[in-house]
Amino acid sequence: MDRHFLLEVRLYADGMGTARYHGMSQGAPEWPPAPARIFQALVAGVARGHWLPPGFVAAMEWLEQLPPPLIAAPLRRVGQAVSLYVPNNDADALSDPSDVSGIRTSKQIQPSLFDGAQPILYVWEFPESTPHEHTLVDAAHSLYQMGRSVDNAWADAHVVDGESLQRELARYRGVIYRPTPSAVGHKLLFCPAPKSMASLIQRHRAVRLRLDGLNSKPRLLFTNSPKPRFFAVNYAPQLRRLLYDVRERGTTKAWPWLPHRAVSLIERIRNAAVTRLRLALGEVAFTNIDRCFVGKAAEGTGSVSPADRIRIVPLPSIGALHADQAIRRILVEVPGGCSLSFEDLDWAFSGLDCIDADTGESSPWVLIKAANRDMLDRYSESSRQWQSVTAVALPVDTHRRSIDPDSRRVAAKRVGERLADESRAIAAVKLALRHSGLVGSALQVQVQREPFVGRGWRAAAFAEGTRFQRERLWHVAIGFDRLVSGPLVIGDGRFLGLGVLAPAGEVTAANAHPGERLGVDSDGIFAFWQEANGVAAPDEPVVLARALRRAVMARVRDSLGLPTEAGLHRYFSGHAVGSEAPDGGLARHLAFHWDSPRRRWLVVAPHRLERRYPTQTERIHLKTLDYALDGLVFLLAGKAGRFALQRTVLPLDDALLAPAREWESVTPYVVTRHRRRSSANEALIADVLAECRRCNLPLPNVTVLAMQSIPGQGLQARLRLHFGMAIHGPIGLGRSSLLGGGLFVAVR
């Protein structure tokens, strides 16, 4: 059973119920109070002069070894700044240290104001059993201030289990902060670290030496005390989620809602939840309800950040070839800055009945708490490639003249005219990403009016009955320079059900028919370009491809924690391990290439070359591969040299991906088998056509540009393929197409 040390800290409030905290960090009000503050406050509360109980020191040294705590803090507002005039640290420069008028300086204090009835919570996760828990609980009862001397406080502490902690956090009306490696809107807070307690003891003893002097003769020593040992940790507000099924009233059947009517559905749900909360909580809560749901702040309280608004997100059905993308599930995202309790919001949406504003009748459907979260998991996966499911309402930056020189004076009817152009729409997509906190992370953006899958809806259909002009609505595909976790919602309509994105592999089926047309993206293609000067010899693509294969296999083996001599799945190595059976009859594996003209290395998944969707097993292997390649920065290729690599994402108009009718081989094509024909040229063409059939390509007209027969390797050639229609890449054909040969690029 998981156990947690829950420390509740309360500061004294005035007659209006407002508490004040005066802690400052780097010249700005500190909020929430850092764990280092409470650590020092516990030490100060227990200390009696220069004496600390031995058991307490051992308990604090044990506490500093634990991971950083979770913090729950009330919503606060910043109070009025006050300047205090105090002596600076130059008193040793004066002949008479008591005369400090010449060295007096101002120090600014700005308190944080919050509801005094709400405690500040600190939660450490405890091991199964510890001898120090009673000592820490007793220490909490000795706390009398936190931060400055004016911040009088008291505390209580408990050891609770995980279930009790979750109930406590669900009732809490405030912001919950969790340690996060890196996040948008993060805060750097100082936390206890190993030897923090020892550093506090050393700092206190240094103050004694400063006052007492050396030996037996007292004198003033103007030396700085050693600073306490703490380390900075990123904290970010916790985003909590509620998931509901849209079900037919009185039954367990789903009530599918057409995806292009998402705005109407979300507005009805939002208005019904607001009405329900107002009736239950009364007029006192009206301000908080409007702030969290609509983003409307009370007069004189400033604006509401979009990051503090509740977001109701429709989750259309995806993940199967014939998924109709109907809305059967609703996700409610509750930000950390929401002033309504999580428990109240769960009650407001559970069993929600939406009344028709025109007829006054109840809706034939209700929201029921979802037990199955599989669909949410599809939207929550990490991916580099994302595609829109509901159309994105693109924002317009009226301050950037690069979009329109007269943007400041453009009327609302001109908005659609500006965003109707694809280049301006792409710029608006990047602006929408900045609004979502994904700054500078999009390497490729594609916009189109048509959906990316056959069962989707045109972007213009989502404008029906909304305030958005149809010219502002686009379907978008985005390639990021790193893995991005979902759910991902962007654009001006992100609070009304528009701009819902999903990983590109989840929008389409994992078992689609091989002839199904793939969308244009670089999913399944991992590219590295060469940083160091010096290009490898043009006749060494196989040598460099083999070096890349060895490096990839080594990194995959390390990421899986396998020993050096352990075998890998055929997906990575091309060789079966023991009695390993092929996956669904597919024997293909990763392809490795050196693209000499563009000085880059490529790792291509087999489903891209065979123009099909990956199987479930292949999708697992792709995640492993993506994780393993993140740290690949050097490639050792034997005599060919040592190369510095930088990972990149291929743009949509790259010669390897862009649609074209003519494709030309950039590395030699090697025949798979020598068919009996009247000439070598005819045998070569027949082999190429057979390879096109295997890779689900239409049959092209083949032009042989050059041909030679190499002993021990077979017939090789440089080819040009002429298709009757534009074909998307990548194209890899021939016996060596998985290891350095048979790679084609589009002819512009």
Side-chain angles (χ1 to χ4, degrees):
M1 181 179 66
D2 53 342
R3 301 165 71 249
H4 304 269
F5 177 58
L6 174 61
L7 180 63
E8 302 180 6
V9 182
R10 287 179 169 84
L11 278 76
Y12 287 94
D14 58 19
M16 302 297 293
T18 301
R20 289 169 170 79
Y21 173 71
H22 296 81
M24 303 285 287
S25 177
Q26 297 181 353
E30 178 189 68
W31 194 262
R37 298 272 190 183
I38 194 66
F39 189 87
Q40 295 178 92
L42 289 173
V43 175
V46 173
R48 297 294 181 268
H50 307 309
W51 179 80
L52 288 170
F56 173 75
V57 175
M60 297 301 285
E61 289 177 343
W62 176 83
L63 182 66
E64 68 189 19
Q65 304 286 336
L66 297 180
L70 174 148
I71 305 174
L75 292 176
R76 64 97 183 224
R77 64 183 189 277
V78 180
Q80 182 178 359
V82 178
S83 295
L84 303 179
Y85 291 89
V86 297
N88 62 17
N89 294 327
D90 293 337
D92 56 341
L94 300 175
S95 57
D96 182 6
S98 62
D99 183 14
V100 295
S101 59
I103 58 171
R104 191 173 287 118
T105 185
S106 64
K107 189 171 186 179
Q108 192 175 65
I109 303 296
Q110 193 169 17
S112 296
L113 312 180
F114 61 96
D115 183 4
Q118 284 286 100
I120 305 173
L121 307 182
Y122 297 86
V123 183
W124 281 270
E125 186 173 356
F126 267 21
E128 284 297 327
S129 61
T130 173
H132 302 296
E133 60 182 61
H134 297 295
T135 303
L136 294 173
V137 170
D138 293 339
H141 297 155
S142 300
L143 187 143
Y144 64 91
Q145 71 179 33
M146 185 173 65
R148 299 180 180 273
S149 58
V150 295
D151 295 327
N152 296 325
W154 77 98
D156 196 4
H158 314 276
V159 177
V160 298
D161 57 25
E163 185 176 348
S164 300
L165 176 63
Q166 292 305 319
R167 287 197 300 267
E168 183 73 24
L169 295 179
R171 292 191 297 266
Y172 192 81
R173 298 177 183 272
V175 185
I176 298 175
Y177 298 90
R178 291 186 181 274
T180 307
S182 61
V184 177
H186 71 272
K187 298 174 178 288
L188 277 176
L189 300 178
F190 286 101
C191 294
K195 298 186 178 180
S196 288
M197 186 64 194
S199 69
L200 291 177
I201 295 175
Q202 181 184 7
R203 179 177 175 84
H204 183 72
R205 288 176 177 172
V207 173
R208 290 185 62 195
L209 292 174
R210 179 180 176 182
L211 294 177
D212 294 344
L214 299 175
N215 301 324
S216 59
K217 184 178 180 181
R219 61 193 181 100
L220 292 176
L221 298 176
F222 296 97
T223 58
N224 291 326
S225 301
K227 293 184 177 180
R229 177 185 173 86
F230 296 111
F231 72 103
V233 176
N234 276 323
Y235 274 83
Q238 177 186 1
L239 182 69
R240 291 177 286 184
R241 296 187 172 99
L242 296 166
L243 183 64
Y244 302 93
D245 291 333
V246 183
R247 293 185 183 175
E248 184 179 353
R249 181 183 298 276
T251 71
T252 58
K253 298 180 181 179
W255 183 274
W257 190 277
L258 293 177
H260 70 287
R261 300 297 307 279
V263 174
S264 174
L265 173 64
I266 299 305
E267 285 180 338
R268 294 181 65 176
I269 293 175
R270 182 195 64 190
N271 295 339
V274 167
T275 301
R276 196 175 194 183
L277 284 170
R278 284 181 170 178
L279 292 176
L281 302 181
E283 296 184 5
V284 178
F286 278 24
T287 300
N288 287 339
I289 294 172
D290 289 343
R291 182 183 185 91
C292 294
F293 277 91
V294 191
K296 181 181 178 181
E299 185 177 355
T301 60
S303 60
V304 179
S305 169
D308 293 336
R309 289 180 57 183
I310 293 172
R311 188 162 63 187
I312 306 173
V313 183
L315 300 181
S317 299
I318 58 174
L321 176 60
H322 300 294
D324 57 3
Q325 296 197 5
I327 301 171
R328 297 176 175 87
R329 298 161 191 87
I330 296 296
L331 173 67
V332 179
E333 293 185 336
V334 184
C338 179
S339 55
L340 300 173
S341 75
F342 191 71
E343 196 174 49
D344 290 344
L345 291 171
D346 191 10
W347 169 83
F349 286 98
S350 297
L352 185 62
D353 179 12
C354 297
I355 306 299
D356 193 308
D358 298 328
T359 63
E361 298 179 354
S362 297
S363 61
W365 52 268
V366 293
L367 294 185
I368 303 298
K369 196 72 174 290
N372 190 321
R373 304 176 71 88
D374 290 346
M375 189 58 63
L376 176 59
D377 292 340
R378 294 184 182 275
Y379 283 92
S380 302
E381 286 192 2
S382 298
S383 178
R384 295 176 185 269
Q385 302 289 333
W386 291 77
Q387 293 177 352
S388 60
V389 182
T390 62
V392 180
L394 297 182
V396 178
D397 190 345
T398 58
H399 300 283
R400 287 184 55 192
R401 296 184 179 272
S402 58
I403 294 180
D404 192 325
D406 301 321
S407 57
R408 294 177 183 270
R409 298 181 295 275
V410 171
K413 65 180 180 180
R414 293 278 309 279
V415 169
E417 298 176 8
R418 295 207 305 277
L419 291 180
D421 179 71
E422 285 192 14
S423 61
R424 291 168 177 165
I426 290 175
V429 170
K430 295 181 178 179
L431 176 62
L433 291 174
R434 288 200 296 273
H435 292 168
S436 301
L438 298 169
V439 180
S441 58
L443 294 184
Q444 58 181 13
V445 177
Q446 178 186 1
V447 294
Q448 62 185 47
R449 301 293 187 182
E450 297 291 336
F452 291 99
V453 291
R455 301 301 297 270
W457 291 74
R458 280 180 55 86
F462 290 85
E464 181 182 350
T466 72
R467 60 182 174 85
F468 300 104
Q469 294 175 282
R470 64 175 56 193
E471 291 82 5
R472 294 183 62 185
L473 299 178
W474 290 83
H475 281 291
V476 305
I478 306 172
F480 293 98
D481 61 353
R482 60 181 181 271
L483 290 174
V484 176
S485 299
L488 188 58
V489 189
I490 66 172
D492 282 357
R494 61 188 182 277
F495 294 101
L496 294 173
L498 298 180
V500 178
L501 276 64
E506 295 291 347
V507 177
T508 50
N511 57 348
H513 189 275
E516 185 79 11
R517 176 182 176 272
L518 290 174
V520 184
D521 57 59
S522 58
D523 182 41
I525 302 177
F526 305 88
F528 301 85
W529 64 278
Q530 178 184 337
E531 282 188 339
N533 294 329
V535 182
D539 58 346
E540 292 184 343
V542 175
V543 173
L544 296 178
R546 289 184 183 276
L548 178 61
R549 175 177 175 268
R550 290 193 299 269
V552 170
M553 290 176 59
R555 293 196 63 84
V556 170
R557 191 178 287 110
D558 291 343
S559 66
L560 296 175
L562 300 176
T564 306
E565 64 277 4
L568 286 175
H569 191 278
R570 68 162 49 85
Y571 188 84
F572 304 103
S573 65
H575 302 289
V577 179
S579 59
E580 185 179 291
D583 299 328
L586 300 173
R588 299 275 284 184
H589 56 86
L590 294 174
F592 305 90
H593 290 280
W594 160 249
D595 185 4
S596 178
R598 281 154 285 275
R599 298 178 59 189
R600 63 187 181 188
W601 281 265
L602 305 169
V603 181
V604 185
H607 73 274
R608 292 307 304 266
L609 295 177
E610 295 182 350
R611 307 182 71 77
R612 57 177 174 81
Y613 291 103
T615 65
Q616 187 64 31
T617 302
E618 286 178 327
R619 293 166 70 186
I620 296 174
H621 292 328
L622 281 172
K623 291 182 180 179
T624 302
L625 180 64
D626 199 343
Y627 175 79
L629 293 182
D630 255 351
L632 182 58
V633 293
F634 288 105
L635 179 65
L636 301 178
K639 295 181 179 179
R642 179 177 183 270
F643 304 93
L645 307 184
Q646 181 174 340
R647 189 168 176 178
T648 184
V649 175
L650 301 185
L652 295 175
D653 59 350
D654 189 87
L656 192 70
L657 300 177
R661 291 190 176 188
E662 292 191 0
W663 292 77
E664 188 172 312
S665 58
V666 68
T667 53
Y669 176 92
V670 181
V671 295
T672 58
R673 54 178 297 192
H674 292 270
R675 293 168 172 80
R676 293 185 178 180
R677 290 292 187 272
S678 58
S679 66
N681 191 76
E682 292 180 356
L684 179 62
I685 293 176
D687 190 78
V688 172
L689 297 179
E691 280 287 281
C692 289
R693 293 190 189 96
R694 182 183 60 80
C695 293
N696 300 297
L697 284 166
L699 298 184
N701 294 323
V702 182
T703 301
V704 179
L705 303 178
M707 181 173 53
Q708 61 179 337
S709 179
I710 300 179
Q713 298 184 16
L715 195 61
Q716 296 186 4
R718 286 184 56 249
L719 306 173
R720 176 169 290 188
L721 308 180
H722 306 260
F723 294 96
M725 57 183 293
I727 299 298
H728 293 282
I731 297 178
L733 304 172
R735 190 175 69 185
S736 61
S737 60
L738 301 180
L739 196 61
L743 183 66
F744 288 77
V745 295
V747 177
R748 303 298 174 89

